[in-house]
Amino acid sequence: MNACEQKQTEESNDQNNTLETQDKKTSGNPIIEGWYADPEAIIYDDTYWIFPTFSAPYKEQLHFDAFSSEDLINWEKHEKILTAESVEWAEKAMWAPGVIKKDDKYYLFFGANDVHEGEVGGIGVAVADRPEGPYADLLRKPLIQDIVGGAQPIDQFIFKENDDTYYMYYGGWGHCNVVKLNDDFTGLVPFEDGTLYREVTPENYVEGPFMFKKDGKYYFMWSEGGWTGPDYRVAYAIADSPFGPFEREGIILEQDPEVATGAGHHSVLIHPDGEHYYMVYHRRPLSETDQNHRVTCIEPMTFDNNGKINPVKLTFEGVEAHKVMN
């Protein structure tokens, strides 16, 4: 091939790639390249964001990447927004970001070190001026390190109540606690009875709590089963209070032998129109047996006439384009 022919071929490939991007009607699943799990999805201003766990052996989980999109179709990668080098107490197993914006600052809560009793680790907090970071360790120590009520301090989710109270739900090892955060996220605020921790564990809970509010009701969600196995799944409850009681409604996300296994540890994107909900989750491709080979996917999430969540179907198509602001 001479230089002229090569140039024409490159121009043709560029045109084809552009057309493919323009003609792409759905996100496809997985929506981002690489092994990523435990995705925390959120909307900041007019942009969708996903903050996942880098899915690798524990000793290699030393950083977080983030991904942003204006339409749910095309995603931009933001590399190493927080690394173990900037968290002096984190040595491994940096897991499951929980993110939120407050007072023009962006906060990223994370688990580190797969902490056990008497060890250094647990839930930390990092802060940045932009969603893509870079994030800096806010406390230079864990916010929560102790094993309280049997709950390993991991998998934190931050829930903002209508009165601007910030609750954090967290916990592994089959137990879930809720705590109240202070104004600058540097510590905990006691509940009315003087306690700092309140257990809210529902039936079959394992890890990965998530909460949203709809029509005055609190929808509490969690993961069941083992994260390394095919039976990992998501269940939920509906309550009148952020403290429950959370009576299990049933499973809404699970494996599909035609699509993928190990579907779980999710979050929910709620479009500002209040009508479109999206479940962002991880799953394991059928061809993969490595426990860390997990990918991040997205599906529409809908409700029946009684406000119950309909089972979410695993697909390869994903979702249609939808901008935050139309």
Side-chain angles (χ1 to χ4, degrees), residues 182-232:
N182 66 9
D183 287 340
D184 58 7
F185 297 159
T186 59
L188 308 181
V189 176
F191 294 108
E192 292 181 356
D193 61 2
T195 61
L196 290 176
Y197 300 85
R198 184 173 296 182
E199 184 167 2
V200 291
T201 307
E203 178 187 2
N204 290 355
Y205 175 93
V206 173
E207 59 193 14
F210 188 89
M211 170 82 81
F212 69 91
K213 196 173 182 179
K214 181 179 184 294
D215 298 330
K217 298 289 186 179
Y218 295 85
Y219 288 72
F220 186 64
M221 314 167 85
W222 63 90
S223 290
E224 302 179 348
W227 72 270
T228 62
D231 63 341
Y232 204 50

Side-chain angles (χ1 to χ4, degrees), residues 135-322:
Y135 286 80
D137 187 1
L138 181 63
L139 302 176
R140 301 184 67 182
K141 64 179 181 179
L143 172 66
I144 296 178
Q145 177 169 296
D146 296 334
I147 312 298
V148 178
Q152 187 185 32
I154 61 169
D155 292 2
Q156 58 294 314
F157 173 73
I158 316 306
F159 174 70
K160 180 183 178 182
E161 183 56 291
N162 294 346
D163 63 0
D164 290 338
T165 299
Y166 290 82
Y167 296 107
M168 182 170 73
Y169 297 83
Y170 77 91
W173 296 347
H175 294 274
C176 184
N177 293 335
V178 60
V179 296
K180 187 187 299 186
L181 298 170
N182 66 9
D183 287 340
D184 58 7
F185 297 159
T186 59
L188 308 181
V189 176
F191 294 108
E192 292 181 356
D193 61 2
T195 61
L196 290 176
Y197 300 85
R198 184 173 296 182
E199 184 167 2
V200 291
T201 307
E203 178 187 2
N204 290 355
Y205 175 93
V206 173
E207 59 193 14
F210 188 89
M211 170 82 81
F212 69 91
K213 196 173 182 179
K214 181 179 184 294
D215 298 330
K217 298 289 186 179
Y218 295 85
Y219 288 72
F220 186 64
M221 314 167 85
W222 63 90
S223 290
E224 302 179 348
W227 72 270
T228 62
D231 63 341
Y232 204 50
R233 57 190 180 267
V234 173
Y236 82 109
I238 303 175
D240 295 320
S241 162
F243 309 114
F246 298 116
E247 296 184 5
R248 187 176 183 273
E249 292 282 348
I251 299 169
I252 51 172
L253 181 77
E254 60 184 331
Q255 65 174 319
D256 183 332
E258 300 298 322
V259 181
T261 64
H265 202 130
H266 76 298
S267 57
V268 176
L269 275 173
I270 305 175
H271 193 275
D273 65 14
E275 297 180 1
H276 292 81
Y277 287 70
Y278 302 97
M279 181 175 283
V280 184
Y281 66 99
H282 76 241
R283 68 194 193 194
R284 187 169 292 107
L286 295 176
S287 60
E288 299 295 336
T289 56
D290 189 313
Q291 64 183 20
N292 293 306
H293 285 184
R294 297 170 291 173
V295 293
T296 292
C297 301
I298 186 171
E299 314 287 2
M301 192 179 83
T302 61
F303 303 82
D304 66 18
N305 293 332
N306 296 315
K308 303 295 180 65
I309 301 175
N310 293 317
V312 176
K313 178 177 174 57
L314 273 59
T315 72
F316 293 112
E317 294 77 19
V319 299
E320 295 180 348
H322 195 183

Side-chain angles (χ1 to χ4, degrees), residues 79-135:
E79 295 188 76
K80 296 186 176 180
I81 63 170
L82 177 67
T83 69
E85 293 179 356
S86 58
V87 183
E88 59 187 41
W89 54 272
E91 299 178 351
K92 63 180 180 179
M94 295 180 72
W95 288 341
V99 296
I100 199 159
K101 180 182 180 182
K102 185 178 188 295
D103 299 333
D104 295 323
K105 295 287 186 179
Y106 297 87
Y107 293 88
L108 188 154
F109 293 72
F110 60 96
N113 296 355
D114 183 28
V115 68
H116 291 65
E117 193 70 52
E119 298 177 347
V120 175
I123 296 172
V125 190
V127 63
D129 294 322
R130 302 175 299 174
E132 65 271 31
Y135 286 80

